[in-house]
Amino acid sequence: MKTSLRRYTIEYMTAISKDEVARLATLSNVGLDDAEIASLQKDLATILHYVDQLKELDTTGVEPTYDVHYQSNVTRQDVVSDKNLDKDVLLGLAPEVNNEQIKVPKVL
Amino acid sequence: MENTIKEIRDRIVGGQSSAVHELKAALERAKKADSYNAVLSLIEKRSLERAVGIDKKIAQGQSVGRLAGVPFLTKDNFLTFDSTTTAASKILGNFKAPLQATAIEKLEAEGAICIGKTNLDAFAHGGSTENSAYGVTKNAYDTTRVAGGSSGGSAVAVALDIVPFALGSDTGGSIRQPASFNGVVGLKPTFGAVSRFGVVAMASSTDCIGPITKTVEDAQLIMDIISGKDDRDSTTLPDFFDNDKTPKKKYKLGVVKECFSDAVDQKVQKRVLDYIDTLKQNGHTVEEVSLPTLPYSLPIYYIVVPAEVSSNLARYDSVRYGVRQSNQSLGKLYETSRDKGFEAENKRRILIGTYVLSSGYYDAYYLQAQKARTLLIREFEAAFSDYDMLLSPTAPTTAFKIGENIKDPVKMYMSDIMTVAASLAGIPAISIPLKVEQKELPIGLQVMAPRMKDMELLEFSRLVESQGEHNG
């Protein structure tokens, strides 16, 4: 099995830069400190090197499969469901509530 | 085996026991097994109320369900009432679900009693239950070894006889692999067979939920109850699970060549091949079949699934629920809550997913992976035109030592080498425990069937079980 006996060495650390890791962290809104960025750089390089072998496959003319059922959009009538959740219960889940609204720091 | 689901239910309804008695005994067993860290939380008040209610109905001669009074546990990524649903993460550490998963509702409608939540890798990201924010779950046979994952808690709880069945979720092997590591039965149904409403989403194109049990018959019963179309999960298929099929006498079985390479432990290969020989001796047609794209299923999986994970975990922003770390600014709110709320493996997958979906990389990674997925699906279809079932070991090794694979993410991913293919293709697959010598670690046989042939898969699995190879 191709996936068996590979060695993952330190040379792959250059496959993804610290800046790229920081960029990904920004895109996904996960705050990372320098130690985490360094650690993830190593891990991501290892993983990316491993998945890179997919380039070996010839997929010319092959359609992608996003859904094994090959479904189209499933719709229903635009009618309010009778399975509603209690507003107070939902508000009770929020970390901060004020006047029946969920409170967050100002956006702008 | 005095504790199958039916046996427990029958003695409750028959009066030899009671729902309350069985519940209390199960809670006791759960507490005694505390050192395994399989159970994260117990639901004592609600379960007692329900047990009392069931006993009352029985006393009044009212009809009760097929699972009346039967206690069970569920993986802590299933939303349940009167309990926390943490997905073994910090960010959901305080989350109390306002609704229940459809699967839980269906089981409760038949009288089953959810006594608690089991440990998992946080957000189901992992193959060992070492990625939990609430500690490692230990293997039922050897506490220096992992439970497997991500449904490690559920598999260990059933192996220890705390409850006769537990629910798990399987995105790439997370029911089957821990079942294999703990000598129990674990079923991943056809994608879409069982509603995922109320289950924390990981990868929406492969997530399946299913039962972990001691016997195939029990898995069949649970499957019959939890499967079915649900308007609240638009990926569910119209009802197709038919509990009344007659099993075949002789099967055509394909042994997947690529699952017996040097990536698989010799002991595991030998045990599985020895068993497959028995099948041949019993008159089934057994032949080798090749799925050349199967070795690529793991790289396909570790592109597609992190991509879907990065999308599904975007909702954990601590705005509407969950643990919020900062109110300094909106940006800090998101960044710190997610940084503190996710485990290392969650971050790896979110970042890889973000990378493979980003412009410049999308075609080379994500699109290529989904095309390769089509090739894999075609190979399965071709194989199933010749064979009823496909066989392989469930995992390349027996349960590894705690800490052994945690430093190298790819080494950890290798544990899924045989299970991800069925997930990508959406086909049903089961892990059946093979009999091993005392002192030996459990080994699972994986059987795969075509899409929507879950019943056929279970019927064949009962045959495997009845031939005495089941670790009973």
Side-chain angles (χ1 to χ4, degrees):
Chain A
M1 210 178 226
K2 277 184 141 32
T3 47
S4 61
L5 303 165
R6 297 198 173 210
R7 292 227 169 275
Y8 304 99
T9 62
I10 213 99
E11 51 190 77
Y12 298 125
M13 266 181 79
T14 53
I16 183 167
S17 69
K18 283 202 167 73
D19 279 349
E20 281 202 89
V21 177
R23 188 187 70 108
L24 296 171
T26 303
L27 282 174
S28 53
N29 275 300
V30 182
L32 300 174
D33 60 35
D34 289 338
E36 282 185 293
I37 289 180
S39 169
L40 281 162
Q41 182 193 18
K42 195 159 126 301
D43 289 342
L44 263 53
T46 307
I47 296 167
L48 288 171
H49 173 74
Y50 176 72
V51 300
D52 259 345
Q53 63 182 283
L54 276 196
K55 295 191 170 114
E56 294 163 11
L57 282 177
D58 181 6
T59 54
T60 328
V62 180
E63 284 301 301
T65 296
Y66 299 110
D67 164 30
V68 296
H69 298 331
Y70 302 102
Q71 276 176 311
S72 306
N73 285 333
V74 177
T75 58
R76 66 175 176 86
Q77 289 301 310
D78 187 12
V79 163
V80 175
S81 154
D82 60 356
K83 295 188 175 86
N84 291 318
L85 295 174
D86 188 72
K87 181 174 65 173
D88 290 330
V89 169
L90 290 173
L91 285 172
L93 294 173
E96 293 213 27
V97 173
N98 188 335
N99 206 22
E100 294 208 319
Q101 296 166 99
I102 295 172
K103 195 171 170 195
V104 293
K106 63 182 177 194
V107 179
L108 295 170
Chain B
M1 188 109 54
E2 331 87 32
N3 284 306
T4 63
I5 293 171
K6 193 168 176 297
E7 274 157 358
I8 296 170
R9 188 261 183 201
D10 284 350
R11 65 174 179 247
I12 290 170
V13 175
Q16 294 84 41
S17 180
S18 69
V20 170
H21 174 83
E22 295 293 335
L23 168 66
K24 288 191 168 159
L27 288 169
E28 222 8 76
R29 292 191 295 267
K31 288 169 184 169
K32 276 214 171 83
D34 193 55
S35 62
Y36 288 86
N37 199 32
V39 178
L40 284 182
S41 63
L42 290 171
I43 307 172
E44 296 191 66
K45 190 160 154 283
R46 179 185 162 79
S47 58
L48 185 61
E49 281 164 14
R50 296 198 61 249
V52 166
I54 286 166
D55 283 336
K56 202 180 244 172
K57 271 183 144 178
I58 293 171
Q60 289 167 354
Q62 288 179 46
S63 78
V64 286
R66 286 179 279 171
L67 304 176
V70 177
F72 72 99
L73 286 158
T74 186
K75 189 173 181 180
D76 204 17
N77 58 355
F78 282 69
L79 272 60
T80 50
F81 286 142
D82 292 349
S83 54
T84 46
T85 298
T86 66
S89 74
K90 295 191 195 87
I91 199 164
L92 290 179
N94 62 358
F95 181 70
K96 293 203 148 146
L99 53 90
Q100 297 206 117
T102 296
I104 302 288
E105 298 272 287
K106 285 188 158 187
L107 291 167
E108 286 195 341
E110 291 282 359
I113 301 183
C114 183
I115 75 164
K117 318 298 287 294
T118 57
N119 202 13
L120 60 152
D121 287 291
F123 286 105
H125 300 175
S128 64
T129 312
E130 289 175 287
N131 290 319
S132 168
Y134 304 102
V136 177
T137 296
K138 297 171 184 160
N139 188 285
Y141 283 75
D142 179 341
T143 55
T144 67
R145 294 177 184 272
V146 298
S150 59
S151 311
S154 286
V156 169
V158 172
L160 294 176
D161 282 313
I162 296 173
V163 284
F165 77 96
L167 293 178
S169 66
D170 187 312
T171 303
S174 289
I175 284 175
R176 293 163 282 161
Q177 184 252 49
S180 158
F181 281 8
N182 288 282
V184 291
V185 173
L187 170 71
K188 181 202 89 67
T190 293
F191 176 81
V194 183
S195 171
R196 291 173 289 155
F197 179 80
V199 180
V200 173
M202 178 179 163
S204 303
S205 79
T206 70
D207 282 351
C208 291
I209 71 174
I212 294 174
T213 58
K214 288 304 261 303
T215 68
V216 176
E217 183 175 14
D218 281 356
Q220 213 166 324
L221 175 58
I222 299 306
M223 184 57 190
D224 193 39
I225 291 167
I226 62 177
S227 61
K229 182 138 190 70
D230 181 12
D231 287 337
R232 297 183 296 176
D233 175 356
S234 61
T235 63
T236 48
L237 294 165
D239 294 5
F240 69 86
F241 189 76
D242 176 6
N243 216 0
D244 276 326
K245 289 237 143 67
T246 322
K248 289 167 89 108
K249 290 272 156 53
K250 295 289 171 236
Y251 288 85
K252 287 191 69 190
L253 307 168
V255 179
V256 183
K257 172 176 164 206
E258 288 79 7
C259 293
F260 292 89
S261 71
D262 56 7
V264 182
D265 201 59
Q266 278 309 304
K267 224 176 200 170
V268 170
Q269 284 197 48
K270 183 172 187 318
R271 184 63 196 93
V272 173
L273 288 170
D274 278 351
Y275 177 67
I276 289 173
D277 237 2
T278 316
L279 287 168
K280 205 176 204 168
Q281 285 162 39
N282 287 336
H284 303 289
T285 306
V286 178
E287 287 168 9
E288 191 183 73
V289 63
S290 172
L291 298 174
T293 308
L294 194 135
Y296 293 98
S297 59
L298 200 63
I300 294 170
Y301 182 86
Y302 279 103
I303 289 173
V304 170
V305 165
E308 297 184 8
V309 160
S310 72
S311 175
N312 277 326
L313 265 60
R315 71 193 66 182
Y316 301 107
D317 54 20
S318 77
V319 171
R320 293 147 296 148
Y321 51 82
V323 177
R324 192 186 283 189
Q325 296 289 345
S326 163
N327 274 317
Q328 203 183 316
S329 67
L330 192 63
K332 277 270 173 278
L333 183 156
Y334 292 148
E335 288 167 1
T336 57
S337 303
R338 286 162 69 79
D339 180 41
K340 296 276 180 294
F342 290 142
E343 301 303 300
E345 184 59 34
N346 303 136
K347 292 173 199 174
R348 277 181 210 120
R349 296 192 189 203
I350 290 169
L351 260 56
I352 287 278
T354 306
Y355 184 88
V356 303
L357 289 174
S358 61
S359 121
Y361 298 112
Y362 181 96
D363 285 0
Y365 288 100
Y366 185 69
L367 191 57
Q368 173 71 350
Q370 297 285 44
K371 287 178 176 179
R373 187 179 184 174
T374 305
L375 292 177
L376 181 69
I377 292 170
R378 284 184 193 163
E379 277 175 19
F380 269 118
E381 283 168 356
F384 283 126
S385 65
D386 291 328
Y387 301 101
D388 298 314
M389 309 275 151
L390 297 177
L391 307 176
S392 79
T394 302
T397 64
T398 51
F400 42 90
K401 290 272 188 196
I402 293 170
E404 190 178 320
N405 290 337
I406 202 79
K407 293 213 167 61
D408 185 339
V410 176
K411 202 160 168 242
M412 183 69 85
Y413 297 162
M414 295 291 204
S415 196
D416 299 333
I417 225 166
M418 255 102 52
T419 47
V420 294
S423 299
L424 291 167
I427 60 176
I430 193 171
S431 181
I432 308 168
L434 295 177
K435 208 174 218 148
V436 291
E437 303 293 321
Q438 234 197 4
K439 299 281 187 188
E440 296 285 322
L441 293 165
I443 291 173
L445 168 74
Q446 177 176 238
V447 188
M448 297 176 272
R451 270 182 73 228
M452 301 199 279
K453 298 289 184 197
D454 302 54
M455 191 54 203
E456 287 80 349
L457 175 65
L458 286 161
E459 285 296 329
F460 172 72
S461 301
R462 284 181 70 165
L463 195 111
V464 170
E465 196 178 47
S466 70
Q467 280 169 1
E469 285 297 332
H470 178 276
N471 221 18

